Amino acid sequence: MPRTYEEELKFIERIDDYSFRIKKEFQPNMLVEGEFFANSRLQYLMFDELKNHCKYTGQGGFLPAVKQIANVAALPGIVKRSIALPDVHSGYGFAIGNMAAFDMDNPEAILSPGGVGFDINCGVRLLRTNLFEKDVEPVKEQLTQTLFNHIPVGVGSKGMIPMNARDLEEALEMGMDWSLREGYIWAEDKEHCEEYGRMLQADPTKVSARAKKRGLPQLGTLGAGNHYAEIQVVEEIYNKQAAKRMGIDEAGQVCVMIHCGSRGLGHQVATDALTEMERAMKRDNIVVNDRQLACARINSEEGQNYYKSMAAAANYAWVNRSSMTFLCRQAFAKIFNSTPDDLDMHMIYDVSHNIAKIEQHMLDGKLKTLMMHRKGATRAFPPNHPLIPVDYQLTGQPVLIGGTMGTCSYVLTGTEKGMERTFGTTCHGAGRAYSRAKSRRNLDYMTVLENLKQKGISIRVASPKLVMEEAPESYKNVTDVVDTCHGAGISDKCIKLRPIAVIKG
């Protein structure tokens, strides 16, 4: 007999002003507790989703995020807690915005494609410039159009970066080292990228022919959905010392943010792995609460095949963002009759928010090797961590939080408290409040475009009607999300950015 909403609430309790605990009794087989972060406004969305699920149980659809967080807490080998960030919302298997760590020393520990997502290594990259809003404003429309012309966007878009089958194999293995060799990035770009833009575990032979076929024409393309390239202006600086380390000195400075991932190649890698893992679960008697959490033991053949192919897809995503960085620098250089170097178009950082990685963390006073699943969640390492660039050793890793179309974005920095509480993890964006279908039903794309125009934001879209799905009304308030992370101490606010031009599929 399904529980009522009131009965469900008995198993959820507030920890502090910014977080809630999900007790082990909430879902069957939970090995650890769940935890989610939310302020007073965001918690309403979480509990309202759960209430509607209780009301309409049995009518299909995604599980509410709270249930998904709890189901992840039942996966073999999980340690500490199943943790959800304030931008959390329902997804496939794991909720989007859910992270979980699995003990590599535990032979039962698993690896799950549902804990990474279909768009493997979807991430955000931020470039700075020495331009100011007053420099861009007279040529804003021309610059926006040139960016749109340079960067292929939309469903089925094809890349402008020359690539054959051999190039693709090398890119899958080498990541940004391939981009550097081919002259598409600067050497320092690698230094300012998570994992230095290359997962060494990548094995292109584990990537299916179908995945490669999908990926070959798409390299250097933005795609559709919530992906974008934005010209942004620094609106507010909260930490001047940290901002200065990033090359941001004052309000009005112009930056460029690129948000995209591994396109069709990553999607196919995930799809292929899920099929393999369903067979492995039967063989190894792995029981999960939700079949979307299909998984395999980390050290099994299926687990290793997925990890190596996922790493290759992650490398592809870094090459993809690097290719668009090249195209973006070319567009700016053309409009301002200069060079990218003279325009100071250096990369501040590149973060991933759909990835699984092996990391070392302190757990109960011991150094443990863990398989980190971050799905719609961003790594946020603190000052003095050995895996962040020398430039940011004193201030902490830059964390890039993309807003929704037409709203602000943020740069945060990692903290020690976040390292202790969330394994150095924070939010990744605003997080959906309404499904894409509901957004299409309730919004008019012309109204959305007009609202952007009224805000002085230039926009170029390949598919105008898809704009409804990405309207600000479809998402949580990104400032609420960021303020919750800041208030909880798991990351610190550094810079606020305001868009003046948007390129979308």
Side-chain angles (χ1 to χ4, degrees), residues 427-479:
C427 62
H428 86 301
R432 294 197 76 87
Y434 303 116
S435 69
R436 296 181 187 278
K438 187 173 181 180
S439 298
R440 287 194 298 270
R441 286 196 304 270
N442 296 347
L443 298 170
D444 174 67
Y445 77 93
M446 290 304 294
T447 303
V448 175
L449 293 175
E450 185 57 33
N451 288 342
L452 291 172
K453 189 177 178 182
Q454 292 296 322
K455 292 179 182 176
I457 299 171
S458 299
I459 183 163
R460 297 293 186 279
V461 290
S463 310
K465 292 190 177 181
L466 290 181
V467 164
M468 295 178 292
E469 299 177 5
E470 301 305 319
E473 295 89 338
S474 303
Y475 283 81
K476 297 177 182 180
N477 185 316
V478 69
T479 300

Side-chain angles (χ1 to χ4, degrees), residues 141-335:
E141 290 298 331
Q142 188 182 355
L143 178 60
T144 306
Q145 187 62 47
T146 303
L147 263 179
F148 188 71
N149 293 343
H150 274 62
I151 300 174
V153 301
V155 177
S157 53
K158 294 186 178 181
M160 298 171 67
I161 302 296
M163 175 166 274
N164 57 35
R166 182 177 175 181
D167 290 325
L168 178 62
E169 293 284 333
E170 291 176 346
L172 290 172
E173 182 178 352
M174 297 171 65
M176 283 175 64
D177 284 332
W178 182 87
S179 301
L180 181 61
R181 189 191 73 188
E182 298 298 315
Y184 293 118
I185 61 168
W186 302 343
E188 67 175 49
D189 290 351
K190 262 175 56 74
E191 300 296 316
H192 289 170
C193 184
E194 195 170 320
E195 298 292 309
Y196 299 100
R198 179 179 185 178
M199 286 190 75
L200 298 175
Q201 300 89 348
D203 183 349
T205 67
K206 304 300 182 186
V207 178
S208 70
R210 187 173 182 186
K212 290 171 183 174
K213 184 178 180 180
R214 292 181 69 178
L216 185 58
Q218 291 185 335
L219 195 76
T221 65
L222 197 59
N226 62 346
H227 296 164
Y228 59 76
E230 283 189 357
I231 302 171
Q232 301 175 337
V233 172
V234 174
E235 187 167 82
E236 199 168 348
I237 298 174
Y238 306 101
N239 184 330
K240 289 187 177 180
Q241 181 190 5
K244 193 169 183 64
R245 295 302 302 167
M246 300 175 201
I248 302 296
D249 296 311
E250 57 184 296
Q253 194 169 339
V254 170
C255 297
V256 182
M257 183 175 278
I258 299 169
H259 175 207
C260 67
S262 52
R263 303 293 321 276
L265 182 139
H267 195 287
Q268 192 62 49
V269 165
T271 302
D272 293 340
L274 286 167
T275 303
E276 270 195 31
M277 288 185 175
E278 284 182 2
R279 291 195 293 266
M281 286 173 68
K282 291 177 184 175
R283 182 194 67 214
D284 296 337
N285 296 316
I286 301 173
V287 178
V288 296
N289 286 352
D290 177 5
R291 67 186 302 267
Q292 291 185 357
L293 290 170
C295 56
R297 309 284 185 218
I298 294 172
N299 292 319
S300 69
E301 183 181 354
E302 293 82 4
Q304 285 300 299
N305 283 348
Y306 171 65
Y307 192 59
K308 291 171 182 176
S309 61
M310 183 221 68
N315 288 346
Y316 178 95
W318 280 312
V319 173
N320 195 29
R321 289 199 284 278
S322 295
S323 300
M324 280 181 278
T325 298
F326 172 78
L327 297 169
C328 178
R329 284 170 172 159
Q330 295 298 107
F332 268 74
K334 181 178 180 179
I335 293 298

Side-chain angles (χ1 to χ4, degrees), residues 387-438:
L387 293 183
I388 62 175
V390 173
D391 294 0
Y392 305 131
Q393 281 290 310
L394 297 178
T395 56
Q397 178 204 312
V399 182
L400 312 176
I401 309 299
T404 56
M405 187 176 60
T407 68
C408 59
S409 295
Y410 288 87
V411 181
L412 314 179
T413 51
T415 65
E416 281 293 348
K417 188 171 182 181
M419 203 67 182
E420 295 163 9
R421 193 161 178 187
T422 63
F423 295 109
T425 308
T426 194
C427 62
H428 86 301
R432 294 197 76 87
Y434 303 116
S435 69
R436 296 181 187 278
K438 187 173 181 180

